[in-house]
Amino acid sequence: MQIGLVGLGKMGGNMRDRLRNAGHTVIGYDTDPEKSDVASLADLVNQLQAPRTVWVMVPAGGPTQHVIDQLAGLLKPYDTVVDGGNSRWTDDEKHAEELSKRGIGFVDAGVSGGVWGLKNGYALMVGGEKETVDRLLPIFEALKPEGPYGFVHAGRVGAGHFAKMVHNGIEYAMMQAYAEGWELLEAVDSVDNVREVFRSWQEGTVIRSWLLDLAVNALDEDEHLEGLRGYAQDSGEGRWTVEAAIDNSVPLPAITASLFSRFASRQDDSPQMKMIAALRNQFGGHAVESAKKA
């Protein structure tokens, strides 16, 4: 299958490689000419055969809106735009309506997998009309992990990004729990090998997970996380999850507390946030801030 891919950063570039490894033809465009296969969005569209599919992997908000506005003027009826970034689900509804006026289909795809997706595959949560989603199944099959899991048609437009938002909210709470446990272990005199305690949990325990594996990786690189500042950003999806919970009268105490803990990390050098920052770097390649030397 042939597909255009806009945005060739840490995830987009690896997705291009995974699709090509599966035998698909990918024409990529990025504002960085060294990464791009073509000189412009217009060139990308012109090289695709109808009906065209263009997958957008750029930051949510203004950048995504800008790309979709451009594609709306370049694509034709029966073409499809896939937004694979971390857009808010309400933006999906707006984009779908704008594109449908021109006969262009729209699919929102929540994508999880970070910098490990090229090797392990990407978990995909997709929203859109069944006919459009079904046409793109070869692309989804190539991107997802091997086996029966890792892809879901979650519902109508917006459902994919809503599901990914909730996924990220759960991720916030899980990372917070590991971070709190790690800080408590580091604080007591009786435990003198915290890293190996974490490693021992990787098999046979009810809290084993990929995030735990990544925590061990981070501790192998810096046993006491002394090189990191206790500061962790939030992508915005944690905030949206809490807002959606309020709108729907659903209590989310753990997720809400984990979000507020990130806000607290910006006020002082939080030990817990060193672990959160390390985990975000491990799975997503997110930037970390180095500890200031005295």
Side-chain angles (χ1 to χ4, degrees), residues 218-235:
L219 295 174
D220 281 339
E221 294 172 5
D222 182 357
E223 183 173 357
H224 302 288
L225 303 182
E226 294 169 328
L228 297 182
R229 180 184 169 208
Y231 179 103
Q233 283 284 4
D234 66 283
S235 64

mmCIF file of all heavy atoms in Angstrom, residues 218-235:
data_model
loop_
_atom_site.group_PDB
_atom_site.id
_atom_site.type_symbol
_atom_site.label_atom_id
_atom_site.label_comp_id
_atom_site.label_asym_id
_atom_site.label_seq_id
_atom_site.Cartn_x
_atom_site.Cartn_y
_atom_site.Cartn_z
ATOM 1 N N ALA A 218 16.765 2.772 33.584
ATOM 2 C CA ALA A 218 17.194 4.102 34.019
ATOM 3 C C ALA A 218 18.129 4.012 35.218
ATOM 4 O O ALA A 218 19.128 4.751 35.302
ATOM 5 C CB ALA A 218 15.970 4.954 34.364
ATOM 6 N N LEU A 219 17.836 3.121 36.148
ATOM 7 C CA LEU A 219 18.681 2.963 37.334
ATOM 8 C C LEU A 219 20.017 2.326 36.980
ATOM 9 O O LEU A 219 21.030 2.586 37.634
ATOM 10 C CB LEU A 219 17.952 2.137 38.393
ATOM 11 C CG LEU A 219 16.693 2.801 38.979
ATOM 12 C CD1 LEU A 219 15.965 1.833 39.909
ATOM 13 C CD2 LEU A 219 17.030 4.089 39.704
ATOM 14 N N ASP A 220 20.036 1.479 35.944
ATOM 15 C CA ASP A 220 21.319 0.940 35.469
ATOM 16 C C ASP A 220 22.207 2.047 34.902
ATOM 17 O O ASP A 220 23.436 2.000 35.026
ATOM 18 C CB ASP A 220 21.082 -0.129 34.404
ATOM 19 C CG ASP A 220 20.676 -1.470 34.999
ATOM 20 O OD1 ASP A 220 20.947 -1.705 36.191
ATOM 21 O OD2 ASP A 220 20.080 -2.285 34.264
ATOM 22 N N GLU A 221 21.590 3.029 34.293
ATOM 23 C CA GLU A 221 22.349 4.138 33.715
ATOM 24 C C GLU A 221 22.799 5.134 34.777
ATOM 25 O O GLU A 221 23.854 5.769 34.631
ATOM 26 C CB GLU A 221 21.486 4.853 32.666
ATOM 27 C CG GLU A 221 21.167 3.994 31.447
ATOM 28 C CD GLU A 221 20.164 4.651 30.508
ATOM 29 O OE1 GLU A 221 19.790 5.816 30.756
ATOM 30 O OE2 GLU A 221 19.757 3.999 29.526
ATOM 31 N N ASP A 222 22.018 5.292 35.834
ATOM 32 C CA ASP A 222 22.318 6.274 36.893
ATOM 33 C C ASP A 222 21.636 5.757 38.149
ATOM 34 O O ASP A 222 20.460 6.040 38.385
ATOM 35 C CB ASP A 222 21.788 7.650 36.485
ATOM 36 C CG ASP A 222 22.083 8.742 37.500
ATOM 37 O OD1 ASP A 222 22.653 8.431 38.568
ATOM 38 O OD2 ASP A 222 21.734 9.904 37.224
ATOM 39 N N GLU A 223 22.372 4.994 38.994
ATOM 40 C CA GLU A 223 21.757 4.193 40.051
ATOM 41 C C GLU A 223 20.866 4.992 40.995
ATOM 42 O O GLU A 223 19.818 4.508 41.426
ATOM 43 C CB GLU A 223 22.833 3.477 40.862
ATOM 44 C CG GLU A 223 22.247 2.559 41.929
ATOM 45 C CD GLU A 223 23.293 1.715 42.634
ATOM 46 O OE1 GLU A 223 24.481 1.803 42.264
ATOM 47 O OE2 GLU A 223 22.913 0.976 43.563
ATOM 48 N N HIS A 224 21.254 6.203 41.320
ATOM 49 C CA HIS A 224 20.460 7.014 42.238
ATOM 50 C C HIS A 224 19.852 8.241 41.545
ATOM 51 O O HIS A 224 19.362 9.150 42.213
ATOM 52 C CB HIS A 224 21.315 7.441 43.432
ATOM 53 C CG HIS A 224 21.894 6.278 44.193
ATOM 54 N ND1 HIS A 224 21.124 5.455 44.986
ATOM 55 C CD2 HIS A 224 23.171 5.791 44.242
ATOM 56 C CE1 HIS A 224 21.904 4.507 45.514
ATOM 57 N NE2 HIS A 224 23.139 4.691 45.069
ATOM 58 N N LEU A 225 19.893 8.238 40.224
ATOM 59 C CA LEU A 225 19.335 9.325 39.404
ATOM 60 C C LEU A 225 19.896 10.687 39.822
ATOM 61 O O LEU A 225 19.214 11.710 39.778
ATOM 62 C CB LEU A 225 17.801 9.331 39.476
ATOM 63 C CG LEU A 225 17.108 8.026 39.064
ATOM 64 C CD1 LEU A 225 15.590 8.189 39.142
ATOM 65 C CD2 LEU A 225 17.532 7.575 37.668
ATOM 66 N N GLU A 226 21.162 10.676 40.194
ATOM 67 C CA GLU A 226 21.796 11.907 40.685
ATOM 68 C C GLU A 226 22.054 12.906 39.568
ATOM 69 O O GLU A 226 22.216 14.100 39.831
ATOM 70 C CB GLU A 226 23.110 11.560 41.395
ATOM 71 C CG GLU A 226 22.911 10.752 42.665
ATOM 72 C CD GLU A 226 24.201 10.188 43.236
ATOM 73 O OE1 GLU A 226 25.114 9.879 42.435
ATOM 74 O OE2 GLU A 226 24.288 10.045 44.465
ATOM 75 N N GLY A 227 22.085 12.424 38.327
ATOM 76 C CA GLY A 227 22.349 13.321 37.210
ATOM 77 C C GLY A 227 21.129 14.039 36.685
ATOM 78 O O GLY A 227 21.239 14.851 35.754
ATOM 79 N N LEU A 228 19.952 13.745 37.257
ATOM 80 C CA LEU A 228 18.712 14.347 36.771
ATOM 81 C C LEU A 228 18.182 15.372 37.752
ATOM 82 O O LEU A 228 18.308 15.217 38.965
ATOM 83 C CB LEU A 228 17.635 13.272 36.569
ATOM 84 C CG LEU A 228 17.911 12.185 35.534
ATOM 85 C CD1 LEU A 228 16.709 11.255 35.465
ATOM 86 C CD2 LEU A 228 18.187 12.779 34.169
ATOM 87 N N ARG A 229 17.557 16.393 37.198
ATOM 88 C CA ARG A 229 16.804 17.330 38.016
ATOM 89 C C ARG A 229 15.399 16.775 38.224
ATOM 90 O O ARG A 229 14.833 16.180 37.305
ATOM 91 C CB ARG A 229 16.735 18.688 37.322
ATOM 92 C CG ARG A 229 15.964 19.751 38.114
ATOM 93 C CD ARG A 229 15.837 21.041 37.330
ATOM 94 N NE ARG A 229 14.878 21.931 37.987
ATOM 95 C CZ ARG A 229 14.148 22.840 37.367
ATOM 96 N NH1 ARG A 229 14.249 22.980 36.058
ATOM 97 N NH2 ARG A 229 13.314 23.611 38.032
ATOM 98 N N GLY A 230 14.830 16.944 39.408
ATOM 99 C CA GLY A 230 13.497 16.434 39.708
ATOM 100 C C GLY A 230 12.409 17.300 39.116
ATOM 101 O O GLY A 230 11.632 17.945 39.831
ATOM 102 N N TYR A 231 12.334 17.308 37.791
ATOM 103 C CA TYR A 231 11.396 18.162 37.057
ATOM 104 C C TYR A 231 10.812 17.335 35.929
ATOM 105 O O TYR A 231 11.547 16.737 35.145
ATOM 106 C CB TYR A 231 12.140 19.377 36.493
ATOM 107 C CG TYR A 231 11.288 20.344 35.691
ATOM 108 C CD1 TYR A 231 10.867 21.541 36.242
ATOM 109 C CD2 TYR A 231 10.914 20.070 34.377
ATOM 110 C CE1 TYR A 231 10.098 22.445 35.518
ATOM 111 C CE2 TYR A 231 10.144 20.952 33.643
ATOM 112 C CZ TYR A 231 9.737 22.145 34.215
ATOM 113 O OH TYR A 231 8.975 23.027 33.504
ATOM 114 N N ALA A 232 9.487 17.279 35.834
ATOM 115 C CA ALA A 232 8.848 16.498 34.771
ATOM 116 C C ALA A 232 7.775 17.326 34.084
ATOM 117 O O ALA A 232 6.886 17.871 34.740
ATOM 118 C CB ALA A 232 8.234 15.216 35.331
ATOM 119 N N GLN A 233 7.846 17.396 32.774
ATOM 120 C CA GLN A 233 6.823 18.074 31.981
ATOM 121 C C GLN A 233 5.569 17.208 31.893
ATOM 122 O O GLN A 233 5.584 16.028 32.244
ATOM 123 C CB GLN A 233 7.354 18.343 30.569
ATOM 124 C CG GLN A 233 8.320 19.504 30.475
ATOM 125 C CD GLN A 233 7.597 20.850 30.552
ATOM 126 O OE1 GLN A 233 6.398 20.916 30.739
ATOM 127 N NE2 GLN A 233 8.344 21.930 30.401
ATOM 128 N N ASP A 234 4.486 17.784 31.434
ATOM 129 C CA ASP A 234 3.305 16.995 31.082
ATOM 130 C C ASP A 234 2.929 17.346 29.647
ATOM 131 O O ASP A 234 3.066 18.481 29.221
ATOM 132 C CB ASP A 234 2.141 17.270 32.034
ATOM 133 C CG ASP A 234 1.606 18.685 31.943
ATOM 134 O OD1 ASP A 234 2.263 19.598 32.482
ATOM 135 O OD2 ASP A 234 0.545 18.875 31.351
ATOM 136 N N SER A 235 2.450 16.320 28.917
ATOM 137 C CA SER A 235 2.182 16.485 27.488
ATOM 138 C C SER A 235 0.874 17.222 27.216
ATOM 139 O O SER A 235 0.615 17.629 26.098
ATOM 140 C CB SER A 235 2.130 15.111 26.809
ATOM 141 O OG SER A 235 1.048 14.362 27.336
#
